[in-house]
Amino acid sequence: MTALAPTLQAFFTDRLIGQRQASPHTVAAYRDAWRLLLRYVADTSHKQPAQLDFEDLDATTIAAFLTHLEHDRHVSTTTRNARLAAIRSLFTFAAVRHPEHAALIARVLAIPAKRGQRCLVTFLDPSEIEALLTAPDRATWTGRRDHALLTVDLQTGLRVSELIGLRCADVTLTRGPHLHSHGKGRKERITPLTGHTVAVLSGWLDERAGTPADPVFPGPAGQPLGRDAIRRLVTKHTRAAASRCPSLAVKAVSPHTLRHSCAMSLLRAGVDVATIALWLGHEDLRTVQIYVHADLALKERALARTAPPNTLPGRYRPPDPVLAFLESL
């Protein structure tokens, strides 16, 4: 057996799971990256994956694999960089175990991440939020569940994983109502609830009648909703709401869009970026700057405050050509 196979096994079992206690999502992402790489190299080198060694995974081969991902599999720059991060992580681990391959490993670790285009975040305006919240049919059990889920997510900005992991015991609706969620990186955080959200959740939990360990938003069988189920229900209700709010039809609305909408609502209410970062569970304040860039109204207010002297505040609007003609007579 080559040196690569036991190193790969030790990386996943000892490093990721044993030492770093990586989440199942991280393990799955790294696994998929390496499965794709080994299959690609096996096809191009005409070797079985178990026969591959470090010499078969030099920097030239890794670069060709990344090009294959972009050109043949049509992945985004973000996905390409995520695959590269998984590869780098194993090679960093292998650098200590196999110093005889130090030069090869150094060249692989020197492969840079690719810079991609940073698009503005998609978020919902108040009218779009109202249309989305009224879309579920609250005459049905599923509609009432979906309405409660959308209300909670739009107000709290929870990630999908946090919604899935939310249990009845995590909801406090008495004095100081809040949600206790377990977020990304195993971080726990407390998110306060508004009076409207408390009323919606109170009615839903009374109907839900679950034990403290039961999920707040279950599927028909009582199990927590999955990522795909939440994505489908958001898409379903967005399409229904688009008939009353046409602007929704041109927006790609996903569960993460609801998180962005929560952040934009806080920003437009005058909440500072540090509080928004704390609210959303971000460690780096720079992550929240994407919402500042996306808020045109905030930029227009800044523009109005920096207008030249002796000018009226506001945006320039050209005169109507008909009125301009009549005034010139």
Side-chain angles (χ1 to χ4, degrees):
M1 182 179 292
T2 65
L4 178 62
T7 303
L8 188 68
Q9 182 177 2
F11 171 72
F12 278 94
T13 56
D14 298 341
R15 180 74 166 189
L16 282 185
I17 300 175
Q19 298 175 5
R20 294 183 57 186
Q21 295 184 336
S23 69
H25 297 296
T26 300
V27 174
Y30 280 37
R31 175 206 64 199
D32 292 342
W34 273 95
R35 185 166 53 186
L36 287 170
L37 174 61
L38 294 179
R39 286 178 176 173
Y40 169 80
V41 178
D43 291 340
T44 56
S45 65
H46 305 291
K47 294 182 179 179
Q48 293 298 319
Q51 299 174 331
L52 297 176
D53 206 343
F54 283 101
E55 288 82 0
D56 300 306
L57 301 177
D58 57 10
T60 302
T61 303
I62 301 299
F65 168 69
L66 296 174
T67 302
H68 160 73
L69 290 179
E70 292 186 280
H71 294 173
D72 299 333
R73 297 182 64 89
H74 307 290
V75 304
S76 65
T77 302
T78 302
T79 302
R80 180 258 191 203
N81 290 340
R83 302 301 191 203
L84 176 58
I87 296 170
R88 281 178 173 174
S89 185
L90 185 139
F91 273 85
T92 302
F93 172 74
V96 178
R97 296 171 62 98
H98 298 284
E100 69 274 14
H101 297 298
L104 182 148
I105 292 173
R107 285 192 291 270
V108 171
L109 294 179
I111 298 176
K114 193 171 185 177
R115 297 189 64 178
Q117 182 179 1
R118 297 189 62 180
C119 301
L120 295 176
V121 297
T122 301
F123 61 93
L124 304 183
D125 293 328
S127 60
E128 296 169 338
I129 292 176
E130 182 179 358
L132 181 60
L133 290 177
T134 56
D137 181 9
R138 278 176 275 179
T140 65
W141 180 90
T142 303
R144 291 189 291 274
R145 179 204 63 190
D146 294 354
H147 174 72
L149 186 149
L150 294 173
T151 300
V152 168
D153 205 16
L154 283 165
Q155 192 254 292
T156 62
L158 294 182
R159 297 181 176 91
V160 173
S161 60
E162 294 167 340
L163 284 172
I164 294 173
L166 204 60
R167 297 294 185 266
C168 294
D170 297 327
V171 182
T172 300
L173 300 178
T174 53
R175 186 174 182 179
H178 63 271
L179 296 180
H180 178 212
S181 58
H182 301 267
K184 186 177 181 181
R186 296 187 179 85
K187 295 189 293 291
E188 296 185 26
R189 59 192 177 98
I190 301 296
T191 307
L193 300 175
T194 64
H196 173 70
T197 306
V198 168
V200 172
L201 264 181
S202 178
W204 166 245
L205 290 177
D206 288 343
E207 180 179 0
R208 168 76 179 85
T211 66
D214 286 337
V216 175
F217 304 112
Q223 298 299 318
L225 290 174
R227 289 177 175 272
D228 289 340
I230 294 178
R231 177 183 53 80
R232 286 195 299 268
L233 75 85
V234 170
T235 301
K236 169 187 172 183
H237 296 309
T238 301
R239 290 174 179 171
S243 60
R244 295 185 296 273
C245 187
S247 61
L248 283 171
V250 298
K251 289 188 175 182
V253 181
S254 67
H256 213 66
T257 306
L258 309 186
R259 179 173 167 83
H260 292 326
S261 302
C262 170
M264 293 301 297
S265 297
L266 292 171
L267 183 64
R268 290 180 168 181
V271 179
D272 60 277
V273 293
T275 302
I276 296 176
L278 180 65
W279 187 289
L280 297 179
H282 289 305
E283 291 185 348
D284 194 340
L285 289 180
R286 290 175 295 181
T287 307
V288 190
Q289 296 299 323
I290 60 174
Y291 304 115
V292 178
H293 289 296
D295 192 358
L296 179 60
L298 183 67
K299 298 174 183 176
E300 289 181 338
R301 290 197 297 270
L303 180 64
R305 290 196 295 268
T306 59
N310 303 321
T311 59
L312 295 176
R315 298 178 64 181
Y316 170 76
R317 301 184 185 279
D320 183 270
V322 176
L323 294 179
F325 166 75
L326 294 175
E327 291 172 358
S328 66
L329 295 178

